[in-house]
Amino acid sequence: MSNGSSPETAIIRRQIQAIRLALLLDCLLLVPVLVVAWLANSMVLFSEAFGSLSCLAINGISFMILRRIARGHTGQFEYGAEKMEVVGSMVSSVLMLGSSAVMAWITIGRFAHPEPVEPTFGGVGIAFQSFCLLLNVWLWRRNRRIAAETSGPIMEATWRSNRADVFEDLGIILSLGLTLALRPYPWSIYIDPACALVALVYPTGEIVRLLRRSLSDLMDKTLEEELQIKILRHLGRHYDQYEDFLRIKSRRAGRRIFIDLYLGFDGDRRIRDVTELIDQLRNGLAEDIPGAEVNVIVSRADAARDRAEGARP
């Protein structure tokens, strides 16, 4: 990370630029969203305003995490930047779930005490949300492309949030349009809070899926059997180049796969031979398992056997 021109640093910088842009847009749009929601007296617009506040907090957390990664402050995490990003993604998901729960509670209260939407500012709300819709479509496509190129959990959470915002904007425009078009009917007063509740369903489902994925990445689980077989197949091809196979440690972080191979070598084996084997394993597994990062931990075979025997009861 210390090398400013390294590929890892370039990836982190690109993510920082994307999150910085999201933060800037959140700050610029927050006040107009709140003002229009207040003047229109619309629950769907209030849900958008509340969502903007949570997005501001989420992007702020993401920005701070990426800045720490860029500065190399990841020593307390076993897998460095990747685990730190997963933690940030999980915190963002929890915040988004909390905001959805609060908005659902407030919206349900509007059924008990219904209030009409102010027609003039309701129209302003439709125009404003149409602009936000176009903006979020652009952000969705842009951040999804960056996430695919960088394989970062934070960017994965960001583009999914942008996609949820697109569907939310569509729901708000439809809700306000129906509310204003059906104003002469007394029951139309319930369209706004009903649509606000419906608009929470899709993003909440996306958030739950993202939270489950983040928790799974955080638990350092081993790889599925198919990938384990691929690893063992590569070890079998080079069985005559090492003395002991001790164990495998593996985990996922976003789209990246970390594989630690613990191998024992004879004390008389030349360093060049050991290095060649390590390179062969790394290159072979990287080709067979996309996104794999392989570490080979070398031990003397006799010392490894002594430790194993000493650990037995």
Side-chain angles (χ1 to χ4, degrees):
M1 284 290 184
S2 60
N3 185 357
S5 60
S6 68
E8 293 83 1
T9 302
I11 287 172
I12 293 299
R13 283 179 176 173
R14 190 170 183 191
Q15 294 181 78
I16 288 175
Q17 290 172 356
I19 298 299
R20 183 187 289 120
L21 174 62
L23 267 175
L24 177 61
L25 292 174
D26 288 338
C27 293
L28 291 176
L29 296 176
L30 178 59
V31 173
V33 169
L34 286 170
V35 171
V36 173
W38 180 265
L39 295 175
N41 195 32
S42 167
M43 286 309 302
V44 289
L45 289 177
F46 272 120
S47 69
E48 171 73 1
F50 202 83
S52 297
L53 283 171
S54 64
C55 284
L56 185 62
I58 291 165
N59 287 327
I61 291 173
S62 300
F63 184 75
M64 287 188 292
I65 289 174
L66 289 172
R67 286 288 297 274
R68 285 181 62 85
I69 293 172
R71 294 170 180 171
H73 299 164
T74 58
Q76 69 270 41
F77 293 92
E78 181 183 357
Y79 285 91
E82 287 72 27
K83 178 163 283 190
M84 198 171 186
E85 286 193 66
V86 172
V87 171
S89 178
M90 186 180 68
V91 171
S92 300
S93 300
V94 171
L95 281 174
M96 292 167 72
L97 273 180
S99 66
S100 296
V102 172
M103 277 309 306
W105 177 261
I106 295 173
T107 304
I108 290 172
R110 181 59 69 93
F111 284 100
H113 307 284
E115 298 179 15
V117 173
E118 205 286 323
T120 301
F121 287 101
V124 174
I126 292 176
F128 185 76
Q129 289 304 129
S130 298
F131 168 76
C132 291
L133 172 64
L134 296 176
L135 181 61
N136 283 319
V137 168
W138 177 73
L139 288 172
W140 171 11
R141 297 180 62 181
R142 180 177 186 271
N143 290 333
R144 184 176 184 178
R145 184 174 64 253
I146 294 174
E149 294 171 356
T150 61
S151 301
I154 284 182
M155 291 309 303
E156 185 78 12
T158 300
W159 81 256
R160 289 182 182 275
S161 176
N162 296 143
R163 182 174 67 179
D165 289 340
V166 167
F167 287 100
E168 185 177 2
D169 291 337
L170 286 171
I172 290 172
I173 293 169
L174 179 62
S175 168
L176 288 175
L178 287 174
T179 301
L180 297 179
L182 300 175
R183 277 180 58 217
Y185 300 95
W187 49 266
S188 66
I189 200 170
Y190 296 102
I191 294 177
D192 184 64
C195 289
L197 282 178
V198 172
L200 290 172
V201 174
Y202 175 79
T204 300
E206 286 288 298
I207 295 164
V208 170
R209 282 191 288 271
L210 181 61
L211 181 59
R212 291 177 62 183
R213 179 183 301 178
S214 299
L215 288 172
S216 177
D217 287 344
L218 202 60
M219 291 174 69
D220 291 351
K221 67 175 183 179
T222 57
L223 301 179
E224 50 268 27
E225 184 178 357
E226 179 184 356
L227 296 182
Q228 294 279 10
I229 291 174
K230 289 183 178 181
I231 297 171
L232 293 175
R233 187 181 298 128
H234 280 277
L235 288 171
R237 291 172 184 169
H238 304 281
Y239 74 94
D240 58 339
Q241 296 177 257
Y242 56 90
E243 276 64 43
D244 282 331
F245 165 57
L246 304 176
R247 60 172 173 154
I248 300 174
K249 285 179 63 178
S250 58
R251 70 174 296 276
R252 290 183 181 273
R255 294 186 179 88
R256 303 176 73 179
I257 298 172
F258 296 88
I259 302 169
D260 292 343
L261 303 176
Y262 292 77
L263 302 178
F265 292 86
D266 189 283
D268 297 329
R269 179 65 66 94
R270 293 186 304 172
I271 294 177
R272 179 189 299 175
D273 296 337
V274 175
T275 303
E276 287 179 358
L277 172 61
I278 291 174
D279 290 338
Q280 290 170 0
L281 288 172
R282 283 177 173 168
N283 295 333
L285 286 170
E287 292 178 2
D288 211 13
I289 305 176
E293 296 191 11
V294 182
N295 290 316
V296 179
I297 292 82
V298 176
S299 300
R300 283 185 55 181
D302 52 353
R305 281 194 294 268
D306 292 342
R307 285 197 298 269
E309 291 174 359
R312 293 174 185 171

